[in-house]
Amino acid sequence: MKAFSRKLMLVLLALYATGAIANPPAAFEGRRLYVSYCLLCHGADGKGDGPLAKAMKITPADLSTTIRSRSDTILTRIITGEGKQTITGRERHNLLSEAMPEWKEVFDDAQIQALIAYLRFLSRKKHDLMGDPEHGLELYQKYCQVCHGVEGDGDGIMTNLIGIMPMDHTNPNETNSLDNQALMSSILDGKGRYMPAWKGILSQSDVEALVSYIRLLSF
Ligand code: HEC
Ligand code: HEC
């Protein structure tokens, strides 16, 4: 009896861990911040074509290409506005002008890291976000987390109970190798023995939202 209740306790703890205290993935959090603070100038895809871009004397950078060569440390300096002249250790005044706002009073360290994760997503993604990841997060926590795990790496509570191995959604090679259509079909039609078919339970736009959310799990 004692052993049983201990086991139950562990299961409950694990369930608690999959639910209430789940933190959204960094790139997901970063997208939220990006949409509110950066999209206006840098545009939805980071290409520097946001609604305010035309009004600016200095064109906002195309982040989908420029940030590839920049380390996290440099990006942190650029975003916070600290060290505009020390970007490469040399004097490069024109690299960043006053036109890029300084955000050091606005974001804490975790938020800067989240923003950087999303910038990495923008520069490395092979497939566009087709739906609304915010809606995707809700659906994922409700229907998918039990198997795919809180962070999407495939260690959900159900995997211990019935010994299954879901796809690791945090591996960008795995998820990038599948286009949006392929991910949608797997979700709608199911796969193998244990990946259920969600047709009839989830709508087309639900599945698009889920695919978008899954794409953000690997950054
Ligand atoms: C008011 C418009 C504006 C907003 C809002 C804005 N930026 Fe910028 N950003 C710019 C401009 C303009 C540049 C290019 C500056 C230059 O070339 O001197 C730039 C450059 C950058 C660069 C450097 C690109 C590179 O690698 O050379 C990064 C990174 C960047 N912005 C990130 C962000 C992030 C993250 C946000 C949101 C938190 C943001 N920006 C919000 C205007 C903006
Ligand atoms: C009962 C456990 C379970 C649940 C619940 C579950 N999955 Fe899966 N999922 C799996 C397993 C197992 C695989 C691996 C299937 C295989 O490759 O044979 C998988 C694979 C996948 C794949 C990869 C398919 C491919 O083409 O390789 C995607 C995408 C996916 N699941 C999305 C979801 C989404 C979205 C949800 C929630 C709506 C969900 N899963 C819910 C178990 C589950």
Side-chain angles (χ1 to χ4, degrees):
M1 188 61 197
K2 241 190 179 154
F4 175 75
S5 54
R6 236 179 77 198
K7 227 177 189 171
L8 190 70
M9 194 59 201
L10 286 176
V11 170
L12 286 177
L13 272 175
L15 276 174
Y16 181 63
T18 54
I21 50 172
N23 270 332
F28 176 89
E29 198 58 48
R31 180 183 168 276
R32 275 189 178 157
L33 299 171
Y34 182 90
V35 167
S36 304
Y37 296 98
C38 322
L39 180 148
L40 204 54
C41 291
H42 290 285
D45 284 321
K47 294 195 184 303
D49 57 357
L52 196 63
K54 282 209 180 76
M56 310 242 346
K57 284 205 196 84
I58 297 174
T59 316
D62 178 353
L63 303 176
S64 69
T65 60
T66 57
I67 72 136
R68 261 175 231 163
S69 58
R70 307 222 187 279
S71 67
D72 286 11
T73 314
I74 298 296
L75 283 174
T76 303
R77 286 193 201 151
I78 292 176
I79 296 168
T80 54
E82 287 160 353
K84 273 181 181 161
Q85 273 86 354
T86 55
I87 278 166
T88 60
R90 284 178 277 133
E91 295 272 309
R92 285 183 61 183
H93 296 280
N94 290 332
L95 186 60
L96 268 201
S97 59
E98 299 298 317
M100 165 64 187
E102 296 182 7
W103 302 95
K104 63 173 170 293
E105 309 294 336
V106 182
F107 303 123
D108 62 25
D109 290 350
Q111 289 174 312
I112 301 266
Q113 289 317 307
L115 271 166
I116 292 175
Y118 187 64
L119 298 185
R120 299 268 178 240
F121 167 78
L122 284 178
S123 74
R124 288 194 202 137
K125 74 183 162 91
K126 295 215 173 87
H127 313 284
D128 288 334
L129 295 185
M130 62 189 322
D132 175 14
E134 298 283 339
H135 183 45
L137 168 76
E138 284 166 27
L139 294 169
Y140 188 88
Q141 291 184 337
K142 205 161 159 189
Y143 297 112
C144 322
Q145 197 160 281
V146 279
C147 288
H148 286 278
V150 179
E151 272 146 28
D153 51 2
D155 65 350
I157 177 107
M158 286 282 275
T159 56
N160 300 329
L161 300 179
I162 49 177
I164 48 178
M165 275 282 282
M167 182 196 204
D168 180 0
H169 291 314
T170 61
N171 179 342
N173 295 333
E174 266 188 66
T175 37
N176 259 337
S177 71
L178 296 166
D179 66 17
N180 287 340
Q181 213 47 54
L183 285 176
M184 284 194 66
S185 325
S186 297
I187 297 169
L188 286 168
D189 304 331
K191 199 172 179 213
R193 192 153 159 217
Y194 288 120
M195 168 60 190
W198 297 92
K199 209 180 265 167
I201 300 167
L202 301 174
S203 69
Q204 178 85 5
S205 69
D206 286 345
V207 176
E208 288 174 4
L210 277 164
V211 168
S212 304
Y213 179 70
I214 287 170
R215 297 237 175 263
L216 294 172
L217 285 170
S218 52
F219 285 89

